[in-house]
Amino acid sequence: MAKINENYLKLPGSYLFQTISKKVAEYSASNPDKKIIKLGIGDVTKPLPDAVIKALHKSVDEMACQETFRGYAPDLGYKFLREAIVETDFIARGCKIEADEIFVSDGAKSDSASIQEIFSEESKIAVCDPVYPVYVDSNVMAGRSGNYKQESQTFEKIIYMPCCEENGFAPEFPDQVPDLIYLCFPNNPTGAVISKDQLQRWVDWARKNSSIIIYDAAYEAYISSSGIAHSIYECDGARECAIELHSFSKNAGFTGLRLGYTVIPKNLKVDGVSLHSLWARRHGTKYNGAPYIIQRAGEAVYTKEGQAQVKDLVSYYMNNASYILSGLKKAGFDVSGGQDAPYIWLKTPDHMTSWDFFDYLLDKVGIVGTPGSGFGPHGEGYFRLTAFGTYENTVEAIDRIVNCLD
Ligand code: PLP
C-alpha cells in the first residue's frame, strides 16, 4: 500500500502566497470595478533587457540549424556562462572562485529548497525569523522538523534567530550550535543588510563550530552602500564553510525565463567528504541542465551592454523603493529596508496584526502587500511592500495609503 510522506502534513497551512491569492481573488470577485495594485509578491514587472532579448533571438535561430542545434546542456552548465559569471561576480570582486565551482540551475528557489538533501537528516538548521519560507518548508518536508509548536509557530528542531527592531533585523549567534545556517542579505523579507564585518563574524563563527552557511545572495545587485559584501566569498575563510546561491530573477528580470546558480568551493568538506562532489552527483541525477537559449541569455547579462541595462533596471526599482520609503515615513509609518534592497518592511499601525493590516489595506484602498507573520513569528506586527511594481502603480499605491490614513 502506498504511503505518503507524512512530513508534508506538518507544514502549517498553505503556502503564504496561495493564501494571499485566494483573498485577492475573493475581493476581486465582489469588487469587480476596483483596481487592485499588487505590491506583495516579489515578481518583477519590467521587460527583459535588450541585450538578453537579442541573445534569445540569436540562440533560438541557432536551434533551427543543423550545425548549431544543441540538445541536452551539460549538467553543471555551459562553460561560456560559468566563465562569464566567475569573471564578473567573483574575480572582479577579488573572490577566488573558479568556473567549475559554479552549478548553473533554473533559479535560486529550487537550489535553496534542494541543497539540504546533501546533508544528514539529523542536521539542525538555523534560520532568521522572519525568513524566506522555502528554507523552512523544504527542511520540514525532508523530516527535519520535530513537532510544529502552534503557540510559537515554530518547529522544535529548527533554530529560529529573531530579527527585530532591537537587533537592527540582523540575527545574533544562536545558543545552540546549528549544522546548517541559512543567511540571506540583502534580506527578504525585511530588506535589511549586514556589514561585511558582521558577515565575517558569521564566517568565523561557522568555521569555529564546523557549521555550513547557505548564503542566499539573490538580491546582491541591489547593494549600493559601501562596506557590504556582494558575496560571502569576500570574507576570509568563506571557502571553507559556505555555499552561495544566486539568481538572475531580480537583477535581470528572469523570473519567467528561470536561471540561477550555486557556488560550492571544491575544498568545502564535511567529515572529509567534498560537498561539491555530492551536489554534482545530485545535480546530475535530478536535473538535466538549464536550456541552452536561457544560458545564452544569462551570458548576455554579463556583456557591457547587459551590465548597463541591468543597472538601469535595478535603479528603476530602487527609485520605487525610495518613493515608498519617503511616502510612508512622511505619513508617520515606522519603516525600514528599501535602501540596499527592493523590500520595505513596515510596522503595522495601531498594533494591528499583520493579517488585519493586509485585510484593511485591501478593503480600504485595494493595495496588496505581504503580511509579515507569513514569514515567521517575529514578522507579526509587520508588513512587506515590494519595489517591483511599475513606477506609476507604486506612486498610486503609496498615495492611496497615505491619503486613506490622513
Ligand atoms: N531566494 C530569495 C531570498 C528569494 O526572495 C527568492 C524569490 O523571491 C528566491 C531565492 C528565488 O529566486 P529564483 O527566482 O531564482 O528562483
Side-chain angles (χ1 to χ4, degrees):
M1 190 179 112
K3 284 195 175 163
I4 57 152
N5 175 350
E6 292 198 356
N7 294 318
Y8 277 62
L9 304 182
K10 296 183 180 171
L11 295 165
S14 55
Y15 189 67
L16 172 64
F17 293 105
Q18 288 165 7
T19 313
I20 293 176
S21 300
K22 201 166 146 243
K23 278 182 178 262
V24 173
E26 283 164 8
Y27 177 83
S28 297
S30 45
N31 299 274
D33 301 329
K34 273 204 183 166
K35 177 186 169 190
I36 294 176
I37 302 180
K38 294 181 185 167
L39 300 182
I41 192 165
D43 199 359
V44 297
T45 48
K46 298 303 284 176
L48 291 161
D50 193 47
V52 168
I53 294 295
K54 280 191 190 134
L56 283 170
H57 282 296
K58 184 165 176 273
S59 51
V60 166
D61 286 342
E62 285 178 78
M63 294 298 257
C65 270
Q66 186 67 61
E67 294 72 32
T68 48
F69 167 78
R70 313 277 182 128
Y72 288 125
D75 284 347
L76 309 188
Y78 282 104
K79 209 168 160 203
F80 61 76
L81 177 58
R82 298 159 99 198
E83 285 178 347
I85 289 171
V86 162
E87 199 51 50
T88 305
D89 289 350
F90 299 102
I91 295 176
R93 291 181 177 140
C95 307
K96 287 196 188 93
I97 294 296
E98 290 172 11
D100 58 3
E101 295 177 319
I102 305 288
F103 295 78
V104 174
S105 71
D106 66 348
K109 185 176 193 173
S110 26
D111 284 355
S112 65
S114 304
I115 195 71
Q116 45 77 26
E117 285 181 28
I118 61 171
F119 297 96
S120 149
E121 197 186 311
E122 305 302 314
S123 307
K124 250 188 271 151
I125 70 155
V127 294
C128 290
D129 171 18
V131 65
Y132 177 53
V134 173
Y135 312 150
V136 172
D137 289 1
S138 56
N139 276 284
V140 171
M141 288 169 177
R144 278 183 213 100
S145 61
N147 292 317
Y148 179 60
K149 295 196 267 180
Q150 188 80 40
E151 69 294 349
S152 60
Q153 301 173 51
T154 57
F155 287 97
E156 74 188 355
K157 282 199 190 159
I158 297 177
I159 303 165
Y160 292 79
M161 304 182 289
C163 294
C164 38
E165 218 174 338
E166 294 74 48
N167 57 22
F169 302 101
E172 287 154 38
F173 301 134
D175 296 336
Q176 289 180 68
V177 174
D179 302 301
L180 305 179
I181 306 162
Y182 288 78
L183 293 178
C184 169
F185 292 104
N187 188 262
N188 176 16
T190 65
V193 284
I194 59 171
S195 68
K196 186 178 166 192
D197 291 344
Q198 281 173 295
L199 187 57
Q200 181 66 59
R201 286 198 281 280
W202 274 101
V203 168
D204 297 342
W205 193 79
R207 289 183 71 197
K208 190 177 92 198
N209 293 302
S210 303
S211 308
I212 297 290
I213 297 176
I214 296 164
Y215 194 69
D216 189 337
Y219 297 96
E220 65 80 14
Y222 287 84
I223 297 170
S224 62
S225 303
S226 59
I228 301 170
H230 286 252
S231 162
I232 197 167
Y233 301 112
E234 290 177 44
C235 297
D236 294 335
R239 284 185 57 90
E240 281 87 52
C241 69
I243 290 173
E244 186 164 275
L245 313 170
H246 282 255
S247 169
F248 286 70
S249 288
K250 310 301 164 87
N251 58 343
F254 276 46
T255 52
L257 279 190
R258 310 303 309 142
L259 193 67
Y261 69 88
T262 287
V263 187
I264 308 191
K266 287 199 154 162
N267 55 321
L268 181 55
K269 292 191 174 147
V270 169
D271 280 341
V273 177
S274 153
L275 296 184
H276 184 282
S277 308
L278 293 190
W279 188 242
R281 186 74 175 84
R282 187 264 170 207
H283 217 56
T285 301
K286 294 198 175 181
Y287 188 60
N288 244 343
Y292 172 69
I293 57 173
I294 310 295
Q295 294 198 47
R296 280 292 185 203
E299 181 191 25
V301 167
Y302 291 101
T303 58
K304 204 168 156 216
E305 193 194 2
Q307 288 287 287
Q309 291 164 2
V310 162
K311 217 168 146 207
D312 288 348
L313 268 182
V314 168
S315 306
Y316 178 91
Y317 293 129
M318 286 314 286
N319 188 41
N320 291 349
S322 302
Y323 193 88
I324 300 173
L325 261 188
S326 62
L328 293 181
K329 262 188 200 160
K330 255 191 250 151
F333 279 96
D334 192 342
V335 276
S336 60
Q339 207 85 54
D340 292 288
Y343 294 117
I344 289 88
W345 191 237
L346 60 111
K347 229 177 179 166
T348 57
D350 303 327
H351 304 287
M352 277 187 197
T353 67
S354 303
W355 278 110
D356 281 350
F357 190 58
F358 174 91
D359 291 335
Y360 175 84
L361 277 191
L362 181 60
D363 191 46
K364 288 269 185 249
V365 286
I367 307 300
V368 180
T370 312
S373 55
F375 297 103
H378 279 84
E380 182 56 278
Y382 285 89
F383 201 72
R384 190 193 75 174
L385 291 175
T386 90
F388 288 122
T390 62
Y391 179 69
E392 294 72 23
N393 275 346
T394 303
V395 169
E396 190 180 336
I398 297 308
D399 293 354
R400 279 197 214 170
I401 295 175
V402 170
N403 294 335
C404 144
L405 295 173
D406 263 354

